[in-house]
């Protein structure tokens, strides 16, 4: 009996010792999704204009002459030089800009945190944020040449198509954008899911022009493209609005935003930059902006689509 008790005691000590030395399991942090992307300070004062504030931004703007295709320079003719000059003269802000013809050309630089922020379609920046520990916030939205703040994805069909409504997409072949395009991928796929609409086949193309070509060549019956496709994309060279019908559109998202990395730009400096941009808007907007300029950032929380709805 004594030996049995002794053995039990030894076993208990061993189990206690093992438990004490066992490494605690790492708690897997749950992805809580995105938070509000608009910079909306509740209080505080902007930094003083007495000191030069230097801000280095990457830029890929649909309507900027230096980043748009030459075929649409009649409408995509925005220039930022006058804005830079006025920011320096009136607000002591040295805005430095590096232009990128395509979003993918600037992605590596954003990942490397080369810039203090970026001017672009918001998802181009926010899709990189979590993986690369960036802290992006939108301090202003930029109006397009029609003074529009918003962007949607639209569902296009050929004019002679028998598809009349969103429900008619069921069982049909649909071409969408890729994951780096919010209005052509994430927003419409969420929408189709919520409406319980199931295309027979869905596949993905990188640009609106490619998707339009799929529609023209009758490889796809429905194409999801950006709403500016017939005015500010290279699709204007191959098709006309009269060739298609719009049967639906997605939710609205900001079209283009001034985005800063708050790990690099303090709240006070962000407030100062925001106030300066808003001051150079409406009737004081530089002529080169081709619009009323900047507005306060609209509320927007990205909701990336993660569940595949159909096989390629």
């Amino acid at each position: 009996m004594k030996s049995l008790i002794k053995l039990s005691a030894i076993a208990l000590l061993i189990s206690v010792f093992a438990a004490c030395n066992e490494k605690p399991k790492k708690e897997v942090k749950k992805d809580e999704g995105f938070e509000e992307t608009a910079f909306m300070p509740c209080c505080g004062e902007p930094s003083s204009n007495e000191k030069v504030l230097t801000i280095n931004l990457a830029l890929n703007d649909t309507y900027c002459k230096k980043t748009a295709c030459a075929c649409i320079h009649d409408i995509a003719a925005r220039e930022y030089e006058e804005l830079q000059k006025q920011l320096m003269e009136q607000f002591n802000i040295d805005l430095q800009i590096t232009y990128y013809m395509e979003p993918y050309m600037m992605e590596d630089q954003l990942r490397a945190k080369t810039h203090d922020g970026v001017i672009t379609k918001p998802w181009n920046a926010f899709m990189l944020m979590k993986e690369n520990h960036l802290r992006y916030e939108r301090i202003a939205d930029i109006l397009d040449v029609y003074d529009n703040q918003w962007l949607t994805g639209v569902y296009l069909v050929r004019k002679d198509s028998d598809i009349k409504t969103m429900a008619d997409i069921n069982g049909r072949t649909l071409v969408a954008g890729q994951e780096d395009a919010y209005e052509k991928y994430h927003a419409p796929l969420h929408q189709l899911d919520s409406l319980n609409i199931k295309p027979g086949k869905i596949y993905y193309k990188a640009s609106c022009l490619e998707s339009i070509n799929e529609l023209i060549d009758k490889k796809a019956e429905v194409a999801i493209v950006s709403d500016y496709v017939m005015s500010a994309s290279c699709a204007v060279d191959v098709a006309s609005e009269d060739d298609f019908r719009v049967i639906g559109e997605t939710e609205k998202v900001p079209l283009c935003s001034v985005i800063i990395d708050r790990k690099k730009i303090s709240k006070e400096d962000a407030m100062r930059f925001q106030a300066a941009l808003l001051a150079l808007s409406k009737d004081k907007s530089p002529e080169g902006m081709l619009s009323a300029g900047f507005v306060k950032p609209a509320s927007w929380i990205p909701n990336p689509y993660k569940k595949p709805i159909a096989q390629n």
Side-chain angles (χ1 to χ4, degrees):
M1 178 64 74
K2 288 183 178 179
S3 61
L4 183 60
I5 294 173
K6 186 176 181 180
L7 287 172
S8 298
I10 292 172
L12 179 61
L13 286 171
I14 291 172
S15 64
V16 171
F17 180 78
C20 290
N21 285 276
E22 184 179 350
K23 291 183 178 179
K25 292 182 179 179
K26 288 185 178 180
E27 184 178 343
V28 178
K29 189 175 181 181
K30 184 181 177 182
D31 184 355
E32 299 293 343
F34 284 85
E35 298 179 350
E36 175 61 67
T37 63
F39 175 70
M40 300 176 180
C42 66
C43 51
E45 295 293 330
S47 59
S48 170
N49 288 350
E50 292 182 4
K51 182 180 178 181
V52 174
L53 172 59
T54 301
I55 298 178
N56 183 327
L57 299 182
L59 186 146
N60 174 265
D61 172 3
T62 300
Y63 290 93
C64 176
K65 189 172 183 178
K66 290 185 178 179
T67 59
C69 179
C71 63
I72 54 170
H73 275 177
D74 57 326
I75 189 168
R78 179 176 286 153
E79 296 178 327
Y80 283 83
E81 287 79 5
E82 188 180 351
L83 172 70
Q84 291 172 288
K85 180 181 178 182
Q86 291 189 21
L87 283 171
M88 189 66 207
E89 290 177 349
Q90 298 180 37
F91 301 97
N92 223 4
I93 295 175
D94 180 14
L95 176 59
Q96 301 176 358
I97 294 176
T98 303
Y99 297 92
Y100 295 90
M101 278 292 294
E102 297 288 348
Y104 72 84
M105 294 178 177
M106 69 183 180
E107 283 182 18
D108 286 343
Q109 300 305 314
L110 297 183
R111 290 188 182 97
K113 305 176 179 64
T114 303
H115 304 287
D116 300 323
V118 57
I119 297 176
T120 189
K121 291 164 72 173
W123 184 242
N124 291 341
F126 286 97
M127 69 180 184
L128 305 174
M129 190 171 74
K130 291 191 174 185
E131 182 182 346
N132 299 283
H133 307 292
L134 296 158
R135 189 186 167 196
Y136 282 145
E137 291 186 45
R138 297 164 35 246
I139 65 166
D141 292 334
I142 306 179
L143 301 177
D144 70 8
V145 295
Y146 309 107
D147 285 337
N148 167 50
Q149 185 176 3
W150 302 102
L151 170 67
T152 66
V154 293
Y155 297 79
L156 283 189
V157 297
R158 293 183 298 277
K159 197 163 189 176
D160 60 356
S161 172
D162 63 346
I163 299 175
K164 306 297 182 184
T165 68
M166 291 284 289
D168 295 335
I169 295 175
N170 276 304
R172 304 302 186 103
T173 300
L174 181 147
V175 59
Q178 296 180 330
E179 290 186 54
D180 59 353
Y182 198 88
E183 78 281 8
K184 296 184 292 182
Y185 180 92
H186 298 281
L189 296 194
H190 272 297
Q191 185 176 36
L192 292 173
D193 243 8
S194 67
L195 296 172
N196 199 29
I197 293 173
K198 301 185 184 303
K201 177 183 178 183
I202 183 168
Y203 63 106
Y204 310 93
K205 292 294 181 179
S207 70
C208 288
L209 176 59
E210 290 176 290
S211 293
I212 289 289
N213 282 332
E214 295 295 295
L215 208 55
I216 292 172
D217 295 340
K218 298 187 177 182
K219 295 177 181 178
E221 296 171 275
V222 183
I224 302 171
V225 293
S226 306
D227 62 7
Y228 56 72
V229 65
M230 288 304 168
S231 61
S233 85
C234 294
V236 297
D237 278 351
V238 301
S240 161
E241 284 184 279
D242 295 334
D243 299 328
F244 309 103
R245 285 185 290 107
V246 175
I247 62 166
E249 65 178 353
T250 68
E251 65 184 276
K252 293 180 178 180
V253 298
L255 169 62
C256 185
S257 299
V258 182
I259 301 163
I260 58 170
D261 186 348
R262 286 291 313 286
K263 288 186 177 180
K264 291 191 170 188
I265 305 294
S266 70
K267 173 185 172 183
E268 292 74 21
D269 286 344
M271 291 174 70
R272 175 180 168 188
F273 189 28
Q274 183 183 61
L277 293 176
L278 295 177
L280 294 176
S281 297
K282 297 182 180 178
D283 58 338
K284 294 184 179 179
S285 175
E287 187 176 348
M289 295 301 293
L290 306 180
S291 70
F294 305 89
V295 292
K296 288 184 178 180
S299 175
W300 181 57
I301 301 175
N303 185 22
Y305 191 82
K306 298 177 182 177
K307 175 185 171 186
I309 64 170
Q311 296 294 320
N312 290 348

